Amino acid sequence: MGTLCIQLRSGTMMNMDSNVAVKLAKAAMDKGHKVTMFGYGEAVTLIKDGQDPKRFPNVGKEISKMTAEGLEVVVCETCCVARGIHRGEEIRGTKIGSLTNDFSRMAAEADRLVTIAR
Amino acid sequence: MPSKLFILLKSPHEYRDLDAVAALGGDDRVGVLLFEDATLFPALKDRRDELIDVADEIYVMGDDLDARGLRSKVGKEFQVIDYPRAVDLIMDEFDQTITL
Amino acid sequence: MAESMLVLITRPPYGLEEAFAGARLALGGKVSGVMDETSVLLIGDGTLNALEAQNPAAVAMPSNLEALQDILDLDGQVFCVEPDLRERVGDMKVLDGIKMISWDEAREIVNAHQLVTTF
């Protein structure tokens, strides 16, 4: 089994990109692959606790469930600060981290990298 | 020469640069995987033909296709797939993925 | 495990955050040192990021040119597909250190990297 790193750059309510990322991650985990996900730019909304879309899939809830099953989710701190998202506001099991340390490590550990962005 | 799986997410009206797929793919094995609005490619004759010209294999996500009511527009050049199959393409069957 | 990553920049400077974000990601890769090689390839409208005449102060934005210079300063490689740039702006000067290449060379560079991420 391999390691898949997904780099997501769209916000959770911008389009369906985050839904695609979550579905791809889930399918890969179901097959026994290790999956890591890095949220960059608008995709930092991925880890914001308290997401409650009324008519759309709740990406936050999916992320919460999947981190408990082994998905590693990290988002860019600089991008969070730019958008007023601070430590303590993230979904339990996710991390506000660093492009240099976390994404570089995730990419280095990956067998495949998929970019989900517009 | 590594095989390449190009991932397209944008509608054919928004994404008009299939030349880049051809240029980056060259003579290597080129797969194209269509997600979201890119599943409109099979429905638009000119763009469909352009895509067929640059790709050796074309995969379309079935859920995105069904959501848009376009399954009947898919010809034999397109393979309709699900997420587990997409994972196999990405992890095992192609060497690189390039999102355009 | 991956030892090399190519950051493919397809978007022009300043209208979108993408090109700057891609350059910063490549810089992060170089700084971290966890991969042997992190390079940048400019194609399509992304080639406009190489132009020396950029003046981002005019729109109060951070400089994409400086972001690319930072990568070059760390001995990173920045490649630009010359026909794409010339088709767009003709014979304008690019930042020193950026390597102008053909599409055949671009394909070889893509093939030489294990991972590709696009901006």
Side-chain angles (χ1 to χ4, degrees):
Chain A
M1 290 297 115
T3 300
L4 170 66
C5 177
I6 299 173
Q7 187 213 116
L8 176 69
R9 292 210 307 277
S10 302
T12 51
M13 298 303 292
M14 275 173 71
N15 50 43
M16 283 181 58
D17 286 0
S18 60
N19 305 98
V20 167
V22 162
K23 285 192 275 190
L24 192 60
K26 186 166 187 339
M29 289 167 68
D30 287 347
K31 281 180 175 279
H33 297 295
K34 179 176 167 23
V35 182
T36 59
M37 196 181 293
F38 190 86
Y40 193 29
E42 297 300 326
V44 297
T45 52
L46 194 64
I47 53 89
K48 179 75 176 71
D49 195 22
Q51 296 175 47
D52 189 20
K54 298 297 177 206
R55 294 169 190 272
F56 293 90
N58 190 326
V59 171
K61 206 173 266 182
E62 288 298 318
I63 288 293
S64 178
K65 210 186 306 172
M66 289 164 67
T67 51
E69 294 165 358
L71 174 70
E72 182 184 1
V73 181
V74 181
V75 299
C76 166
E77 182 178 21
T78 307
C79 308
C80 281
V81 171
R83 289 157 180 83
I85 298 174
H86 300 285
R87 289 217 163 88
E89 294 182 63
E90 70 270 36
I91 293 165
R92 184 189 296 266
T94 67
K95 178 183 163 189
I96 296 177
S98 139
L99 185 65
T100 301
N101 297 322
D102 293 295
F103 176 72
S104 298
R105 171 189 52 81
M106 286 170 153
E109 290 173 354
D111 297 294
R112 296 290 186 274
L113 170 63
V114 169
T115 306
I116 307 282
R118 299 299 182 107
Chain B
M1 285 188 295
S3 53
K4 300 181 180 72
L5 182 66
F6 290 89
I7 294 177
L8 306 185
L9 300 134
K10 290 176 252 184
S11 122
H13 296 295
E14 191 184 350
Y15 183 71
R16 308 201 63 87
D17 203 14
L18 287 174
D19 288 351
V21 175
L24 291 170
D27 294 330
D28 304 342
R29 177 180 165 221
V30 171
V32 173
L33 175 52
L34 307 174
F35 283 93
E36 301 186 49
D37 289 342
T39 59
L40 287 166
F41 267 100
L44 303 174
K45 190 183 176 317
D46 290 350
R47 303 311 313 285
R48 177 187 64 211
D49 292 347
E50 260 181 74
L51 184 59
I52 290 168
D53 278 349
V54 301
D56 298 312
E57 300 147 47
I58 309 171
Y59 303 92
V60 195
M61 294 308 295
D63 61 348
D64 286 325
L65 201 58
D66 287 339
R68 289 157 179 80
L70 295 174
R71 195 174 275 250
S72 65
K73 294 287 184 185
V74 175
K76 62 176 173 27
E77 300 87 353
F78 295 81
Q79 298 180 49
V80 179
I81 64 165
D82 57 14
Y83 275 86
R85 178 82 183 107
V87 169
D88 289 343
L89 293 174
I90 292 165
M91 298 303 294
D92 302 321
E93 296 184 28
F94 285 86
D95 297 314
Q96 286 178 325
T97 72
I98 303 176
T99 301
L100 286 174
Chain C
M1 301 289 284
E3 288 166 2
S4 57
M5 179 170 64
L6 182 68
V7 178
L8 186 63
I9 297 181
T10 68
R11 300 298 183 94
Y14 311 117
L16 297 161
E17 188 190 19
E18 302 301 301
F20 183 77
R24 299 306 290 183
L25 183 135
L27 183 65
K30 290 300 293 181
V31 170
S32 75
V34 296
M35 264 196 256
D36 290 346
E37 190 59 57
T38 305
S39 312
V40 174
L41 173 59
L42 308 174
I43 69 168
D45 288 346
T47 58
L48 299 170
N49 291 285
L51 288 179
E52 196 185 57
Q54 290 173 62
N55 178 19
V59 287
M61 287 291 155
S63 170
N64 286 23
L65 209 55
E66 281 174 19
L68 294 179
Q69 183 66 60
D70 288 343
I71 297 164
L72 294 169
D73 289 345
L74 287 173
D75 294 327
Q77 299 198 89
V78 180
F79 304 97
C80 177
V81 172
E82 186 159 20
D84 279 9
L85 181 69
R86 299 302 171 219
E87 179 191 341
R88 282 161 176 78
V89 297
D91 190 24
M92 287 184 73
K93 186 162 180 357
V94 301
L95 178 68
D96 284 341
I98 293 180
K99 292 181 182 138
M100 304 303 283
I101 58 171
S102 67
W103 267 114
D104 283 344
E105 290 169 311
R107 200 157 44 244
E108 283 169 23
I109 287 160
V110 171
N111 291 349
H113 290 77
Q114 284 170 273
L115 307 178
V116 180
T117 184
T118 314
F119 285 83

